[in-house]
Amino acid sequence: MKLNKQDILKALESITVVGEGQNMVESGAVTNVVTFGDEVIVDITIKNPSLQAKKRTEVDILKTIHEQVYEKAKITINVKVDAPVKPKVNVIKGNPIPGIKNIVAVASGKGGVGKSTVTSNLAVTLAKMGFKVGVLDADIYGPSIPIMFDVEAERPLAVNIEGKSKMKPVENYGVKVLSIGFFTQPNQAVVWRGPMAAKALNQMIFDAHWGELDFMLIDLPPGTGDIHLSIMQSLPITGAVVVSTPQNVALADAKKGVAMFQQESIDVPVLGIIENMAYFTPAELPDNKYYIFGKEGAKNLAEDLQVPFLGEIPLVQSIREAGDVGRPVALQTATPLEQAFETLTQNVVQEVVNRNENLPPTEAIKITTMAGCSAVKKK
């Protein structure tokens, strides 16, 4: 039997588009019909992106043509989905913590680049500038912030806030600190799967009495993984800074760290890149610079990725020594290192100001599969 295009169209007029009131032809959903003898090709565009809508459309077309036109017709159906763009809604991520104005994540693609050292010195410099500062040590498996603030023997106290028991962060150098290191023994390994680690982080975030903070710095673990997603799912991150050394191996991982925050499903603003261990200056030769790990690698990476370069910190023995004894080197007055961290911190603050003036708050990230995440779109 030779099929007729008009007969096909007339039959399709009896089918209502899934989720709409009009029939397939009247609504314009059917974009083309081609017949060759007993074969027919139907091109149709629907607005409902669900798999169920697509299958229902195919079944309805097959059944209708077979019943109303020719029961042995050979039918090919090409279904295209053209879902309308939803208006972009700005949704604050998770449950914002009352009283905390800015949350800055300090990340690195690679371990051992001095991320915790940079975090602690940023924190004390912000405090010296007069800001109210807190540090959340999110490096569940290798917490080092308690050592760097000389509070590893301390334990958070419980305080009653509006009838609820809350943890009171440990405080030193004008900085409030919480870390999983406060709840484990020094020689105890934290062997937790992702859900347990995420639960512990949520307790330190939402079951703590942080009070009023201008800045909360989050010391993230190295890499790009479950802890990062848990943090970004739980908190409205103002922005992220990425720490790297100039070495190519570290830069390759730093690039991945920046890409994590920038990918569409996460979309956390990257405030910039910090180059740590930029050069070595021995104490006896203060004017000499030795580029042990390469020269200006992180600075060049920032230019390539079109994100701000926040500053460079030299490889100096006293930075390590100060961290080990629990007194961040930025507390030393009238030294080049104090000046370096002040410049770095001023740049971070300026980028936070720029970000808050030009962008809406970061929005909710929803974990959808074991392999990834999705987000309500922003801006």
Side-chain angles (χ1 to χ4, degrees), residues 60-79:
D60 286 351
I61 292 174
L62 287 169
K63 183 178 178 181
T64 301
I65 294 177
H66 283 151
E67 289 181 353
Q68 298 186 23
V69 184
Y70 180 47
E71 64 179 355
K72 294 183 179 180
K74 299 173 183 177
I75 306 168
T76 301
I77 305 169
N78 300 317
V79 181

Side-chain angles (χ1 to χ4, degrees), residues 225-226 229 233 263 265 365-375:
D226 191 48
L229 292 179
Q233 185 186 19
Q263 71 180 55
S265 59
I365 293 174
K366 300 176 182 177
I367 306 300
T368 56
T369 67
M370 290 297 288
C373 59
S374 66

Side-chain angles (χ1 to χ4, degrees), residues 199-215:
K199 184 178 179 180
L201 279 174
N202 279 335
Q203 287 182 320
M204 288 194 294
I205 294 168
F206 298 111
D207 292 344
H209 179 56
W210 290 98
E212 298 289 328
L213 293 182
D214 297 305
F215 289 92

Side-chain angles (χ1 to χ4, degrees), residues 151-302:
V151 290
E152 56 183 328
E154 302 289 332
R155 296 293 179 266
L157 300 175
V159 292
N160 190 290
I161 305 296
E162 298 178 354
K164 294 182 180 180
S165 180
K166 298 274 189 178
M167 285 184 287
K168 182 181 179 182
V170 174
E171 188 168 344
N172 200 12
Y173 310 127
V175 178
K176 297 178 180 179
V177 177
L178 271 182
S179 168
I180 198 67
F182 293 141
F183 308 100
T184 59
Q185 296 300 318
N187 59 347
Q188 179 184 353
V190 179
V191 188
W192 290 348
R193 292 189 183 274
M196 191 169 179
K199 184 178 179 180
L201 279 174
N202 279 335
Q203 287 182 320
M204 288 194 294
I205 294 168
F206 298 111
D207 292 344
H209 179 56
W210 290 98
E212 298 289 328
L213 293 182
D214 297 305
F215 289 92
M216 173 186 274
L217 303 183
I218 301 180
D219 184 26
L220 290 172
T224 55
D226 191 48
I227 299 298
H228 304 74
L229 292 179
S230 296
I231 287 289
M232 290 181 285
Q233 185 186 19
S234 302
L235 288 173
I237 306 294
T238 307
V241 299
V242 176
V243 180
S244 178
T245 64
Q247 188 178 4
N248 286 338
V249 172
L251 294 172
D253 291 336
K255 187 183 296 185
K256 295 172 186 175
V258 172
M260 174 187 68
F261 292 113
Q262 289 183 335
Q263 71 180 55
E264 187 178 3
S265 59
I266 293 179
D267 208 9
V268 169
V270 177
L271 302 175
I273 295 177
I274 297 170
E275 183 170 272
N276 193 29
M277 308 182 201
Y279 54 86
F280 170 62
T281 297
E284 63 274 12
L285 298 170
D287 296 326
N288 288 26
K289 293 182 178 181
Y290 301 94
Y291 297 94
I292 296 175
F293 296 111
K295 186 175 181 180
E296 298 184 343
K299 183 177 182 180
N300 293 332
L301 178 63

